[in-house]
């Protein structure tokens, strides 16, 4: 474990030193400013300084946003012009369909083209990414495919984060093995509705992610049908937004409200560490952060270098149910306002290449805790493959083979089958950052709702304003009625006693 932490600490520092040795590229172009809109805490911003050191004529203005929807509104209203934005797959699809972003044409010598992960080609074969069409919703015209409009940045999954040693679970006689096996079983998503977990869990205050949770509950039998091709047909279930499905999901989520601690936007990854909750619907990158924070104290530079004593640790597990989950990816997109013949366009592409180079990929993953879309070229002399092996491979007992060969180009299974202890720090982190090979075909990508987006928004508003499930409302009515009746009776009796005492005094 100390070896893992030392590596995590040394890698970003070593690449920081290397940045001073890079050859400065002087260009004949004039000064240029590129404007970037990116999610907060989602990039090592020292890379911006490294890029500007390499290209002294370029200034990078870096703004951050909180959600895909906020970013969408920024571009749609034209409040500010950006040369590069980062957003999720469904938002890429929506903005492309509305003409807010343009197709990205990388140069033939692009670093990105030599370092793109085979994960993308696997996704193409299984119908996850390049079979998602971009359609003009008004005319029905096909405008291209999703990968025409985006360059991959980070990717991950949706799952459950759990503390199996949570005090309330112990009070309910729930064991660690029972909890973990249950969450990873074919019935894993239904645990959010299970009374055993009542009041101990939170889910995302995110329309799309929580709708996905509802979809897995509504169609749980279909997702387990062995006669259905996962990618071809189940992806249709996952993205179903017909009126009947919206109604069923709404009913399921209203029922869910009575079983959860509450909704959260970004607090869940800390609440599960501090013991406020025992389980959380989590994105894989946040799960990796929580696992780390549960076992290490943050240093002055948030490097989490000091290990907590055993009695102070919160040991967390990330789980993906066997029935499948959402696989998401965020990508770089170029707004339509950036002209292809401009210097801004030219240096925006150079910035994408710079961020996609193996050494910067490793530095960025070390900082964010998320998993890069890049895998490098093969595994020989590849900093990304070295980082993965040295971070997650274990040398202790009770080891389990863990195959992630799908992620690396031209790689034999044995070359990227790591041996890990499932209960160790590294063994739990790898589940959050790299799903095992057998799970990939059971992961579904989220598409935009198109013209039905307003219906989903209305459903979500109805869920949020529906304060309590029916059984709670009935209970409250009975309680309030009883209280009023009691208070009325109490006042009547008191008035009668006062009247009686007055009558006795007057005798």
């Amino acid at each position: 474990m100390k070896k893992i932490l030392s590596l995590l600490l040394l890698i970003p520092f070593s690449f920081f030193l290397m940045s001073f040795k890079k050859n400065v590229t002087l260009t004949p172009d004039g000064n240029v400013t590129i404007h970037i809109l990116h999610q907060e805490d989602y990039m090592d911003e020292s890379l911006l300084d490294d890029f500007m050191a390499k290209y002294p004529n370029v200034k990078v203005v870096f703004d951050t946003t909180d959600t895909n929807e906020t970013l969408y509104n920024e571009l749609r209203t034209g409040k500010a012009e950006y040369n590069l934005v980062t957003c999720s797959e469904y938002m890429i699809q929506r903005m492309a369909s509305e003409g807010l972003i343009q197709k990205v044409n990388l140069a033939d010598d692009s670093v990105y083209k030599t370092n793109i992960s085979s994960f993308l080609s696997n996704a193409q074969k299984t119908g996850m990414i390049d079979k998602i069409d971009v359609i003009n919703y008004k005319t029905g015209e096909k405008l291209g495919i999703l990968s025409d409009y985006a360059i991959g940045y980070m990717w991950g999954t949706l799952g459950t984060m759990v503390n199996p040693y949570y005090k309330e679970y112990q009070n309910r006689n729930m064991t660690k093995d029972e909890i973990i096996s249950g969450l990873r079983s074919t019935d894993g998503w239904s645990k959010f509705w299970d009374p055993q977990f009542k009041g101990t869990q939170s889910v995302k205050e995110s329309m799309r992610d929580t709708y996905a949770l509802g979809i897995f509950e509504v169609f749980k039998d279909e997702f387990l049908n062995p006669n259905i091709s996962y990618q071809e047909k189940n992806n249709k279930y996952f993205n179903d937004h017909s009126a009947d499905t919206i109604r069923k999901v709404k009913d399921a989520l209203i029922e869910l409200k009575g079983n959860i601690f509450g909704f959260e936007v970004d607090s869940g990854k800390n609440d599960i560490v501090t013991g406020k909750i025992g389980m959380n619907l989590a994105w894989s990158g946040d799960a990796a952060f929580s696992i780390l924070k549960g076992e290490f104290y943050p240093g002055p530079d948030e490097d989490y270098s000091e290990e907590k004593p055993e009695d102070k640790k919160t040991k967390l597990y990330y789980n993906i149910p066997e029935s499948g989950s959402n696989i998401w990816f965020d990508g770089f997109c170029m707004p339509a306002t950036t002209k292809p013949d401009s210097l801004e366009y030219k240096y925006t592409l150079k910035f994408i290449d710079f961020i996609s180079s193996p050494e910067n990929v490793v530095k960025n993953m070390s900082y964010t805790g998320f998993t890069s879309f890049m895998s490098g070229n093969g595994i020989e002399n590849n900093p990304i493959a070295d980082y993965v092996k040295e971070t997650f491979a274990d040398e202790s007992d009770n080891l389990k083979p863990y195959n992630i060969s799908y992620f690396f180009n031209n790689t034999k299974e044995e070359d990227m089958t790591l041996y890990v202890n499932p209960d160790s720090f590294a063994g739990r982190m790898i589940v959050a950052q790299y799903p095992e090979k057998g799970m990939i075909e059971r992961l579904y990508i989220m598409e935009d709702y198109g013209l039905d987006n307003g219906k989903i928004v209305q459903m979500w508003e109805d869920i949020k304003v529906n304060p309590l499930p029916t059984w709670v409302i009935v209970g409250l009515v009975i309680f309030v009625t009883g209280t009023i009746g009691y208070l009325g009776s109490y006042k009547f009796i008191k008035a009668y006693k006062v009247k009686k005492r007055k009558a006795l005094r007057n005798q």
Side-chain angles (χ1 to χ4, degrees):
M1 187 181 297
K2 291 182 178 178
K3 177 183 176 183
I4 294 170
L5 289 173
S6 299
L7 179 69
L8 289 171
L9 295 173
L10 289 175
I11 286 175
F13 182 68
S14 62
F15 285 127
F16 174 76
L17 293 178
M18 288 170 61
S19 69
F20 287 99
K21 299 178 182 180
K22 293 177 181 176
N23 294 325
V24 173
T25 304
L26 298 176
T27 71
D29 298 324
N31 292 333
V32 60
T33 300
I34 58 175
H35 294 261
I36 299 174
L37 184 60
H38 196 74
Q39 280 73 30
E40 191 173 2
D41 293 327
Y42 201 30
M43 182 183 290
D44 185 342
E45 294 187 27
S46 70
L47 290 170
L48 305 178
D49 295 328
D50 294 345
F51 178 76
M52 288 186 284
K54 183 173 183 178
Y55 298 102
N57 63 314
V58 180
K59 177 182 178 182
V60 177
V61 177
F62 191 80
D63 295 332
T64 59
T65 185
D66 54 355
T67 66
N68 284 291
E69 283 66 31
T70 302
L71 180 147
Y72 170 71
N73 289 328
E74 287 276 348
L75 265 63
R76 188 169 59 87
T77 59
K79 290 181 179 178
E81 287 194 5
Y82 291 96
N83 306 113
L84 188 68
V85 298
T86 310
C87 54
S88 300
E89 67 293 308
Y90 75 91
M91 188 56 71
I92 296 169
Q93 190 180 18
R94 183 188 305 178
M95 294 196 300
S97 72
E98 296 180 10
L100 293 175
I101 58 176
Q102 59 187 296
K103 292 183 178 180
V104 182
N105 297 312
L106 289 166
D108 290 336
D109 60 349
S110 167
V111 172
Y112 171 80
K113 287 191 175 181
T114 61
N115 289 296
I116 185 170
S117 166
S118 62
F119 166 75
L120 177 58
S121 60
N122 283 346
Q124 291 170 345
K125 292 173 185 175
T126 54
M128 291 169 55
I129 294 178
D130 272 13
K131 288 187 179 179
I132 295 181
D133 294 333
V134 174
I135 304 292
N136 183 316
Y137 297 137
K138 293 182 179 179
T139 66
E141 176 190 2
K142 180 177 176 178
L143 303 176
I145 54 179
L146 200 64
S147 59
D148 290 338
Y149 291 87
I151 305 302
Y153 178 59
M154 298 286 184
W155 70 281
T157 57
L158 183 71
T160 59
M161 194 68 179
V162 70
N163 173 9
Y165 307 103
Y166 187 58
K167 184 177 180 181
E168 188 58 34
Y169 297 154
Q170 294 178 333
N171 293 341
R172 298 177 189 183
N173 297 317
M174 299 167 68
T175 66
K176 173 214 159 188
D177 290 342
E178 173 191 1
I179 292 170
I180 299 299
S181 62
L183 290 173
R184 293 181 180 176
S185 72
T186 55
D187 200 37
W189 292 117
S190 295
K191 299 303 179 184
F192 280 95
W193 284 264
D194 190 329
Q196 278 194 304
F197 292 91
K198 182 178 176 61
T200 68
Q201 54 190 332
S202 62
V203 299
K204 294 295 178 194
E205 191 170 344
S206 163
M207 177 181 75
R208 298 189 63 88
D209 295 296
T210 305
Y211 183 81
L213 176 62
I215 283 285
F216 280 117
E217 178 65 9
V218 168
F219 289 118
K220 57 185 176 182
D221 292 335
E222 284 79 0
F223 280 108
L224 295 175
N225 187 343
N227 298 318
I228 294 178
S229 167
Y230 280 105
Q231 297 298 341
E232 293 296 325
K233 295 184 179 179
N234 280 359
N235 208 54
K236 294 180 181 178
Y237 286 117
F238 183 69
N239 285 289
D240 190 350
H241 43 85
S242 63
D244 186 55
T245 294
I246 293 173
R247 177 184 58 79
K248 290 178 179 177
V249 170
K250 176 181 174 180
D251 290 344
L253 294 181
I254 288 175
E255 181 185 350
L256 175 67
K257 286 185 66 175
N259 209 49
I260 62 174
F261 178 82
F263 294 104
E264 56 87 16
V265 178
D266 196 43
S267 62
K269 63 185 180 184
N270 290 308
D271 290 344
I272 197 167
V273 175
T274 59
K276 189 174 182 179
I277 56 174
M279 190 167 78
N280 179 237
L281 179 66
W283 299 301
S284 52
D286 283 351
F289 169 83
S290 298
I291 293 172
L292 178 64
K293 192 172 181 180
E295 299 195 33
F296 298 88
Y297 292 116
D301 298 320
E302 295 291 315
D303 54 4
Y304 291 90
S305 57
E306 183 184 354
E307 188 173 355
K308 294 179 181 178
E310 282 298 317
D311 62 342
K312 299 293 183 182
K313 289 182 179 180
T314 303
K315 292 187 177 181
L316 305 173
Y317 290 76
Y318 182 71
N319 315 279
I320 301 176
E322 288 182 18
S323 55
S325 184
N326 168 226
I327 186 170
W328 55 263
F329 84 89
D330 292 336
F332 292 119
C333 304
M334 296 184 71
T337 51
T338 300
K339 297 179 180 179
D341 59 351
S342 66
L343 286 176
E344 288 80 7
Y345 187 96
K346 174 181 177 179
Y347 283 101
T348 297
L349 291 183
K350 288 184 180 295
F351 179 80
I352 295 172
D353 268 0
F354 181 80
I355 292 294
S356 301
S357 65
E359 64 271 18
N360 289 332
V361 163
V362 170
K363 185 175 182 180
N364 213 13
M365 284 198 295
S366 299
Y367 176 84
T368 64
F370 283 83
T371 305
S372 174
F373 216 79
M374 301 298 121
S375 71
N377 190 15
I379 62 171
E380 296 296 326
N381 302 314
N382 180 355
I384 302 172
D386 291 343
Y387 168 81
V388 172
K389 287 190 289 187
E390 292 173 4
T391 301
F392 298 115
D394 206 329
E395 297 176 357
S396 62
D397 297 326
N398 304 315
L399 300 185
K400 169 192 172 184
Y402 198 91
N403 186 353
I404 58 171
S405 59
Y406 66 87
F407 189 71
F408 294 89
N409 287 317
N410 306 314
T411 302
K412 298 177 182 178
E413 286 198 6
E414 58 267 25
D415 290 337
M416 285 307 293
T417 296
L418 310 181
Y419 288 85
V420 300
N421 179 345
D423 284 325
S424 70
F425 173 73
R428 286 177 284 118
M429 285 287 281
I430 196 171
V431 175
Q433 294 196 263
Y434 293 94
E436 203 166 5
K437 182 179 179 180
M439 178 58 67
I440 290 297
E441 66 177 12
R442 298 198 296 275
L443 301 176
Y444 315 108
I445 197 164
M446 192 177 292
E447 299 182 36
D448 186 45
Y449 300 129
L451 297 178
D452 286 337
N453 192 64
K455 297 177 183 178
I456 306 292
V457 171
Q458 184 59 57
M459 177 217 67
W460 184 238
E461 291 300 320
D462 291 344
I463 290 170
K464 290 196 294 183
V465 299
N466 187 315
L468 294 168
T470 303
W471 67 269
V472 176
I473 294 173
V474 171
L476 284 174
V477 169
I478 294 173
F479 173 77
V480 171
T481 302
T483 301
I484 292 173
Y486 169 77
L487 291 175
S489 299
Y490 174 76
K491 288 181 179 179
F492 176 80
I493 294 170
K494 183 177 180 181
Y496 172 80
K497 288 182 177 179
V498 170
K499 184 177 180 180
K500 183 71 174 176
R501 283 196 297 270
K502 286 182 178 179
L504 290 171
R505 283 197 300 268
N506 292 331
Q507 287 180 354

